[in-house]
Amino acid sequence: MTEDLMSFYDGDKPGKTPGLLPDPYYWWEAGAMMGTMIDYWYYTGDSTWNDVVTQGLLHQVGKFNDYMPENQTRTEGNDDQGFWGLAVMSAAEYGFPNPPDDKPQWLALAQAVFNTQAARWDPDHCAGGLRWQIFQWNNGYDYKNTISQACFFALAGRLAVYTGNSSYSDWAEKTWDWMVNVKFISDDYYVFDGGHIQYNCTNIVPYQWTYNAGGMILGAAAMYNHTGSEVWKNRLDGLVKGADVFFVGEEKNIMQEVACETVELCNLDQQSFKAYLSRWLAAITKWAPHLTDGIMSKIRASSIAAASQCKGGTNGRMCGLKWTENGTWDGMQGVGQQMAALEITLGNLIETSHAPHTADVGGTSQGDPGAGGNDIGRTIPAVSTLPPLGGGDTAGAAILTMVVLGLLIVGVIFMMLDETSKKPMKERFFDFRSALLGGGGLAALSTRRKNEEMNEKGKGIDNDASSDGDSSRENGILSPLPTKGYTMSSHQGLPQRGSVLSHMSGTTAVTDPPPGIPMVREKRLSRKSRNPALRNSIASQRSARIE
């Protein structure tokens, strides 16, 4: 499964960008996949892919080491950045090999993501929360979505566990309270998708996705471990119970993306969502052991169902989306499907794996509480600025500009001269200058262009354009040419060949002509002019061409 997942990744190939998946996959999913590969090393100890993962994670950190790289920040959302932050948090917790000393460290990168997102908390709309998008020109800037809050909440809780710093747990508490107050989490602990600020986040989008529930479960488990509070235990238990909605089958233990999977409408992103609930359910058993039995019964059953349908593709082992088809591959394959099947399978190894490290117990990753400071409060992307031009650069640019302008002027003059004349070039130039000085330049040019149109093959025959800008010759519709004494009313009853499609496209319908009448091409009617009375009008007759 792991090899087949990494077969989609080409960021380690010559000419490719480390840390990016090829089209059509988005940047955030590459970060999520890096998290899966960290999980793979954690569960198995196999370091085959470690160098590739480290290269990808470090290449995408951006100018200020906070996962806001220049090639992504114009379209980057808080949830996108959050998935990369969660990946490096796992690297710190699991003891993934540290980067070289001259590179940013895993814990510091996670702290940078947290710091930049905490600065984006928006109390002016819906009394708090993170917007989906970071920059206001992106679609979704007016939406506060649960996954952005869930990533921030989980990152805050995990940083609180790792560092012991109460400022992180304070932010986790604040995020939870806001989610409950705006009712993105219901009284039954169902987790909904989000709401728009123009409605004060009251128009709740009621879809339930596995990754929204999973992110909140992960953060609540971290907070329960950090505080030992009965309050957080009850919240965690409620969320895990609410997530039962994603398990189907006779025993209610096979994971399904219920919002889209049953109607076969899961898009590219949604095809990966089960990977994150699988990952985070397994992880929380280390922080909340009392949930182990119930969670592991679902992981085992779902992993068997997932693995049994990995029979597709040219190699006969690619995994599909649906785990409910009794071992039948559903014909789908991709990064999301492969990642989900791998994560639910790896989850079976959680009981024999070590607990997440902390700064006091086993952790070696170096942190930086002030990381990401250069991006805090930024309202436009940070882009590289070019150095100012020197004197030599300016002079060279001026010379090059004059040369190009000179060549352009010579070319224009040459085109304006009448090359059909048998006079020498010198005489032709003086004739052209005299014409310009005498005011006849434009007239001469106009005459020359008219002659060109008449002489060039095919021109001058049908220069008329249809009402929608296309040539009547190319886009005309066959219709009868009225003859003397034959009016529109005399053939209105003729059968029409036009279909509903022709009316929708704004074209004239096709009719059968009376005997002896030649067929012509008539100009297409504008989409604004669909009156049948306009067909075969005098204007259209003038533009018609006899076949």
Side-chain angles (χ1 to χ4, degrees):
M1 286 182 182
T2 308
E3 182 180 342
D4 292 334
L5 171 61
M6 291 303 289
S7 70
F8 291 97
Y9 179 72
D10 62 1
D12 58 332
K13 304 296 189 298
K16 300 297 183 178
T17 304
L20 295 186
L21 284 164
D23 288 338
Y25 297 100
Y26 294 107
W27 180 69
W28 78 271
E29 193 164 346
M33 191 192 76
M34 295 298 164
T36 293
M37 296 309 297
I38 292 170
D39 285 353
Y40 172 75
W41 171 84
Y42 165 64
Y43 284 118
T44 68
D46 181 3
S47 60
T48 299
W49 305 100
N50 284 13
D51 290 343
V52 172
V53 173
T54 298
Q55 179 194 40
L57 287 170
L58 293 179
H59 194 82
Q60 294 297 319
V61 297
K63 184 177 181 180
F64 300 124
N65 298 332
D66 54 7
Y67 287 106
M68 293 188 66
E70 291 182 15
N71 64 341
Q72 299 296 330
T73 47
R74 286 178 176 82
T75 58
E76 185 176 345
N78 281 302
D79 50 352
D80 304 329
Q81 184 191 26
F83 268 91
W84 286 87
L86 293 174
V88 290
M89 191 69 236
S90 292
E93 291 170 338
Y94 295 158
F96 192 73
N98 291 318
D101 292 341
D102 62 340
K103 300 294 184 181
Q105 303 300 299
W106 306 135
L107 178 59
L109 287 168
Q111 289 171 313
V113 171
F114 171 85
N115 289 339
T116 56
Q117 295 200 344
R120 298 185 198 120
W121 188 263
D122 177 28
D124 296 331
H125 302 90
C126 308
L130 294 175
R131 294 174 184 259
W132 176 17
Q133 300 296 334
I134 296 173
F135 301 113
Q136 62 185 6
W137 54 77
N138 288 327
N139 289 333
Y141 185 70
D142 63 341
Y143 190 59
K144 294 195 173 181
N145 63 335
T146 289
I147 191 57
S148 292
Q149 324 306 322
C151 288
F152 180 65
F153 171 62
L155 187 58
R158 294 166 73 181
L159 283 169
V161 172
Y162 193 95
T163 66
N165 189 328
S166 62
S167 62
Y168 297 121
S169 59
D170 290 344
W171 272 104
E173 292 269 8
K174 184 175 185 176
T175 305
W176 174 271
D177 290 343
W178 183 81
M179 288 282 291
V180 171
N181 289 337
V182 294
K183 301 188 184 303
F184 289 1
I185 299 175
S186 75
D187 293 341
D188 296 321
Y189 292 96
Y190 295 133
V191 182
F192 303 123
D193 193 67
H196 294 84
I197 64 173
Q198 56 265 46
Y199 301 104
N200 199 33
C201 296
T202 59
N203 69 323
I204 296 173
V205 177
Y207 295 117
Q208 296 188 64
W209 301 105
T210 50
Y211 77 156
N212 284 334
M216 296 306 298
I217 287 171
L218 179 65
M223 288 300 292
Y224 171 56
N225 177 270
H226 178 64
T227 64
S229 164
E230 193 70 16
V231 171
W232 277 109
K233 179 180 181 298
N234 292 336
R235 291 170 175 173
L236 173 60
D237 292 349
L239 287 169
V240 172
K241 176 64 176 175
D244 283 347
V245 70
F246 302 113
F247 292 89
V248 299
E250 292 183 3
E251 303 295 327
K252 304 295 183 184
N253 57 4
I254 308 299
M255 192 184 297
Q256 182 182 72
E257 197 64 62
V258 294
C260 65
E261 198 173 307
T262 58
V263 290
E264 299 184 352
L265 291 176
C266 298
N267 66 25
L268 193 70
D269 289 341
Q270 294 155 6
Q271 291 164 13
S272 73
F273 287 178
K274 289 190 293 188
Y276 318 125
L277 180 59
S278 300
R279 175 192 302 176
W280 295 329
L281 281 178
I284 70 164
T285 61
K286 292 299 186 184
W287 286 330
H290 70 281
L291 293 172
T292 299
D293 290 344
I295 287 175
M296 291 308 299
S297 66
K298 292 182 173 66
I299 287 178
R300 292 189 187 101
S302 291
S303 64
I304 292 171
S308 67
Q309 54 84 48
C310 293
K311 303 173 181 177
T314 56
N315 61 11
R317 65 189 189 200
M318 300 303 289
C319 302
L321 175 66
K322 297 180 180 179
W323 302 345
T324 56
E325 302 300 297
N326 298 316
T328 301
W329 180 55
D330 60 9
M332 301 180 68
Q333 60 180 328
V335 172
Q337 294 91 327
Q338 206 67 28
M339 188 160 44
L342 177 57
E343 285 283 10
I344 196 69
T345 301
L346 290 172
N348 288 285
L349 303 175
I350 188 65
E351 293 179 279
T352 58
S353 301
H354 66 77
H357 296 319
T358 67
D360 295 330
V361 181
T364 61
S365 186
Q366 297 298 307
D368 179 3
N374 288 316
D375 263 332
I376 289 177
R378 185 179 296 280
T379 58
I380 59 173
V383 296
S384 297
T385 55
L386 298 175
L389 294 176
D393 296 327
T394 303
I399 293 172
L400 182 61
T401 301
M402 288 188 289
V403 170
V404 172
L405 286 176
L407 292 174
L408 180 62
I409 292 171
V410 170
V412 170
I413 291 174
F414 181 78
M415 287 189 295
M416 288 182 175
L417 293 175
D418 185 3
E419 66 270 21
T420 62
S421 173
K422 298 184 181 300
K423 294 181 180 180
M425 177 63 70
K426 184 176 181 179
E427 291 185 31
R428 288 160 56 192
F429 175 77
F430 283 119
D431 288 346
F432 176 71
R433 186 184 66 175
S434 299
L436 287 178
L437 294 176
L442 293 178
L445 179 60
S446 174
T447 301
R448 170 175 165 73
R449 287 183 175 173
K450 184 177 293 185
N451 289 336
E452 285 179 344
E453 288 181 351
M454 295 302 295
N455 293 331
E456 188 176 346
K457 185 176 181 180
K459 292 288 185 72
I461 298 175
D462 187 18
N463 290 327
D464 191 29
S466 65
S467 56
D468 58 0
D470 296 322
S471 167
S472 61
R473 186 188 322 169
E474 296 171 350
N475 295 303
I477 305 297
L478 294 177
S479 61
L481 174 66
T483 57
K484 185 176 181 180
Y486 187 79
T487 64
M488 282 288 292
S489 60
S490 65
H491 66 91
Q492 285 177 346
L494 292 174
Q496 299 289 312
R497 295 182 188 171
S499 65
V500 174
L501 181 60
S502 69
H503 291 289
M504 291 175 64
S505 64
T507 63
T508 57
V510 178
T511 61
D512 291 325
I517 296 180
M519 298 298 292
V520 301
R521 288 193 183 274
E522 182 187 24
K523 291 172 62 177
R524 294 176 64 180
L525 293 176
S526 166
R527 286 173 172 80
K528 296 181 181 179
S529 303
R530 299 185 181 181
N531 186 349
L534 296 178
R535 298 172 187 164
N536 300 317
S537 64
I538 298 299
S540 66
Q541 292 174 38
R542 288 176 178 171
S543 67
R545 180 171 61 87
I546 297 178
E547 293 288 324

